[in-house]
Amino acid sequence: MGGTLPPVIAIDGPSASGKGTIAEAVAQRLSFHYLDSGALYRIVGLVGGERGVNLDNDLEISIISLNLKINFESGRVWVDGRDVSAQIRGEVAGAAASRVAALPGVRRALMALQRGFRQPPGLVADGRDMGSVVFPDASLKIYLTATPEERALRRHKQLMEKDSGASMAALLQDIRDRDLRDSTRAAAPLLKCADAIEIDTTGTSAKEVVEQVLHLYQKHQKTQ
Ligand code: DC
């Protein structure tokens, strides 16, 4: 035993706050590994739904979570040898993810898998409980926010690129519902931990936020 564990930068925040974009870019700049923990809940929700399991059944969904073979490879996500990259981004998988993420057994089942991403030279992990539960000893904890209106607008832009005609009003409602579900559930609710640094990204470009996070990490390193 002993030795130092590779450093972790934890980036948490609500739905569509830009966590994925920022975390991936920061990981790339530092040549760190990247964990998109939301993708794991999306995969579990997707597969549970496909297998016709009740998405509120903690035991059954936990067993599925423990037995999935998940691979992230060159920007794509594979489950048991199947490329599910596009499917897990859909609204159905997103809604299913939010349900299975409320199950304590599922969260426990995914713990070891998530911690396994902590490999040299370091990890940038994004989600809801990266700093609070999965990597409480992270070197730097960031809590990203943006107003619900800005987040709905960003999602709208993303969906327009895919030719999906979701209305702004529906997206805003969906974001508000998801925020409420994610922050009021009993198991690992979305919260800003006391030692996290909050960055409000409303009206800020992704590039600026990436620079801000890198600057905070450099500052942290100097104090070590
Ligand atoms: O970040 P995302 O939209 O891909 O997350 C999908 C769902 O999974 C969302 O409802 C929140 C949940 N989630 C979670 O509970 N814990 C995480 N670490 C990541 C995501």
Side-chain angles (χ1 to χ4, degrees):
M1 290 304 285
T4 348
L5 285 165
V8 175
I9 299 178
I11 303 188
D12 291 302
S15 196
S17 57
K19 299 180 306 285
T21 310
I22 305 302
E24 215 175 343
V26 170
Q28 209 165 32
R29 289 277 293 274
L30 296 170
S31 296
F32 276 16
H33 298 277
Y34 167 55
L35 166 64
D36 169 6
S37 63
L40 303 179
Y41 291 96
R42 287 171 177 271
I43 290 168
V44 171
L46 174 77
V47 175
E50 282 175 350
R51 296 192 187 166
V53 176
N54 175 352
L55 294 179
D56 303 313
N57 186 325
D58 197 2
L59 182 62
E60 282 201 51
I61 303 282
S62 299
I63 292 170
I64 291 182
S65 313
L66 283 171
N67 291 303
L68 291 174
K69 287 203 175 43
I70 299 172
N71 284 307
F72 291 90
E73 252 175 54
S74 17
R76 308 213 62 87
V77 187
W78 302 80
V79 179
D80 295 335
R82 175 166 66 112
D83 184 349
V84 294
S85 320
Q87 257 176 309
I88 60 162
R89 292 293 141 214
E91 293 301 307
V92 174
S98 182
R99 276 174 71 185
V100 300
L103 307 173
V106 171
R107 305 199 71 89
R108 273 195 303 276
L110 292 176
M111 190 70 83
L113 179 65
Q114 295 177 87
R115 290 190 172 149
F117 280 81
R118 186 175 196 168
Q119 299 287 339
L123 174 70
V124 183
D126 88 58
R128 304 295 190 286
D129 62 342
M130 296 298 97
S132 56
V133 178
V134 183
F135 302 108
D137 60 337
S139 310
L140 176 64
K141 299 181 186 180
I142 302 288
Y143 189 80
L144 279 192
T145 57
T147 59
E149 289 76 13
E150 168 106 2
R151 289 186 280 135
L153 200 67
R154 288 179 191 167
R155 184 143 286 172
H156 191 248
K157 256 173 82 180
Q158 262 175 5
L159 291 172
M160 291 295 278
E161 284 160 15
K162 287 194 256 166
D163 266 350
S164 163
S167 78
M168 270 295 291
L171 289 171
L172 187 56
Q173 191 55 48
D174 181 60
I175 279 180
R176 290 210 161 109
D177 291 347
R178 204 163 291 186
D179 279 359
L180 189 69
R181 259 201 316 268
D182 290 346
S183 56
T184 54
R185 68 179 181 221
L190 169 68
L191 54 87
K192 174 186 169 296
C193 25
D195 52 352
I197 298 169
E198 182 165 342
I199 302 180
D200 185 341
T201 69
T202 311
T204 316
S205 74
K207 212 168 151 240
E208 284 172 275
V209 181
V210 169
E211 293 307 326
Q212 234 175 314
V213 175
L214 287 169
H215 178 72
L216 287 168
Y217 184 60
Q218 275 156 13
K219 228 169 72 180
H220 160 84
Q221 279 182 309
K222 281 193 193 133
T223 62
Q224 291 309 291

